[in-house]
Amino acid sequence: MGFPVERPRRLRRSEGLRRLVRETRLSVSDFVYPMFVVPGSGVAEEIGSMPGQFRYSVDRLIEAAKRVEDAGVPAVLLFGIPEKKDPAGSEAYAPAGAVQRATAALKEKTKLLVITDVCLCEYTSHGHCGVVEGGRVLNDPTLEILARAAVSHARAGADVVAPSDMMDGRVGAIRSGLDEAGFEETAILSYAAKYASAFYGPFREAAESTPQFGDRQGYQMDPANAQEALREMALDVAEGADMLMVKPALAYLDVIRRAKETFHLPVAAYNVSGECSMIAAAARMGWIDGRRATLEVLTAIKRAGADIIITYAAVEAAGWLAER
Ligand code: PBG
């Protein structure tokens, strides 16, 4: 066969036909909304590099989270900014830290699923994701601190902990830490393939987590590597990860696809700050249609194989999907 019998355009003639044969359907149930928590009360400050995103104190976070819940978004991912940073990032596991208090308040006042980011970079004075000695980020001494942070989140009520530090062996260390503390039901969403990416720029302003020296290339992955991503994921699966994440999403759609085909675990993709801010900025300039571009990007991430999409556009996109 072939043309003129075959005419793919027949199925594109009307919105009714296009809707019927659409292969990928974005749903609000796919979304996770990242939120930033700070100490204090009455705080809701817009993040300059991330239009429409805010740093909230716990009280204001709850108000915002109710809007997230009303939009139908099932889950939030929490990032904390501490009162005081120190070289060991000790506020990461403070029982009354911003994330721990926010988690408890969210579980009490909403039905949202609470996922917490487990990392030290927001809490360390040097901004690295692990303990530093002699200018190097030490792997093994960091593991115990990460596990303590994860346990403190679980104790506060977190449903899922999400380690984003990229130390070797952290998933296993966190799993044993949780199990020993009696939190064997707390799940681990591992940032398994997390690349050393330029697209985290706006987030680092939001979380005040820019490294004070060097960069993260000694622990985050080289953007050139895909096979290595599969190795990272296999290790995390072996250590007890319940879900795998690829981050960022857009420049790594091939990695998302391979993760989905290789492992039998839910795959999450993180549509990171730089990806969202680029669209927001271009839309503000009138250069692209922000709504269409956002829905196109989210659909592409799902088409690539993501089961879960972590995105700052979650609430807005939920509204658009409800209109359609
Ligand atoms: C912490 C962390 C980062 C992001 C999520 N967790 C920043 C980094 O690794 O520098 C980035 C998220 C985003 O850009 O939206 N390790």
Side-chain angles (χ1 to χ4, degrees), residues 195-197 199 223 246-257 275:
Y195 288 88
S197 171
F199 292 100
V246 176
K247 174 187 176 184
L250 285 184
Y252 303 91
L253 295 176
D254 58 322
V255 180
I256 296 173
R257 161 59 44 157
E275 298 173 337

Side-chain angles (χ1 to χ4, degrees), residues 5-78:
V5 176
E6 286 202 75
R7 290 180 182 269
R9 285 186 55 190
R10 277 188 204 115
L11 297 182
R12 295 179 206 143
R13 278 172 63 225
S14 65
E15 180 49 25
L17 278 165
R18 290 191 293 271
R19 189 173 160 202
L20 192 69
V21 301
R22 191 156 289 141
E23 297 174 35
T24 306
R25 292 175 202 278
L26 209 52
S27 154
V28 65
S29 305
D30 305 330
F31 297 153
V32 175
Y33 183 58
M35 300 184 86
F36 298 93
V37 207
V38 296
S41 66
V43 184
E45 41 175 10
E46 192 166 12
I47 300 160
S49 55
M50 301 173 71
Q53 307 302 320
F54 293 78
R55 290 195 205 91
Y56 294 111
S57 53
V58 175
D59 53 335
R60 303 296 296 274
L61 180 95
I62 296 300
E63 293 167 21
K66 291 203 167 128
R67 296 192 289 275
V68 177
E69 188 171 33
D70 288 343
V73 174
V76 293
L77 170 60
L78 294 184

Side-chain angles (χ1 to χ4, degrees), residues 165-238:
D165 52 281
M166 288 301 276
M167 297 302 120
D168 292 329
R170 84 280 172 77
V171 172
I174 288 172
R175 185 70 272 158
S176 345
L178 288 170
D179 291 356
E180 279 161 28
F183 297 108
E184 55 285 309
E185 294 195 331
T186 306
I188 300 177
L189 163 59
S190 164
Y191 285 68
K194 176 173 176 181
Y195 288 88
S197 171
F199 292 100
Y200 307 149
F203 172 96
R204 291 185 187 169
E205 181 183 325
E208 299 162 4
S209 65
T210 307
Q212 299 303 303
F213 68 89
D215 55 41
R216 301 209 205 289
Q217 291 184 82
Y219 40 105
Q220 299 181 347
M221 284 183 55
D222 183 337
N225 297 354
Q227 186 156 293
E228 189 190 351
L230 298 181
R231 178 165 179 235
E232 280 282 5
M233 291 190 210
L235 288 168
D236 286 5
V237 172

Side-chain angles (χ1 to χ4, degrees), residues 22 24-32 71-75 295 298-299 302-303 306-311 313-315 317-322 324:
R22 191 156 289 141
T24 306
R25 292 175 202 278
L26 209 52
S27 154
V28 65
S29 305
D30 305 330
F31 297 153
V32 175
V73 174
L295 288 172
L298 297 175
T299 302
K302 183 155 186 190
R303 191 196 63 230
D307 301 293
I308 300 161
I309 304 173
I310 303 166
T311 178
V315 178
W320 297 330
L321 291 178
R324 286 211 287 214

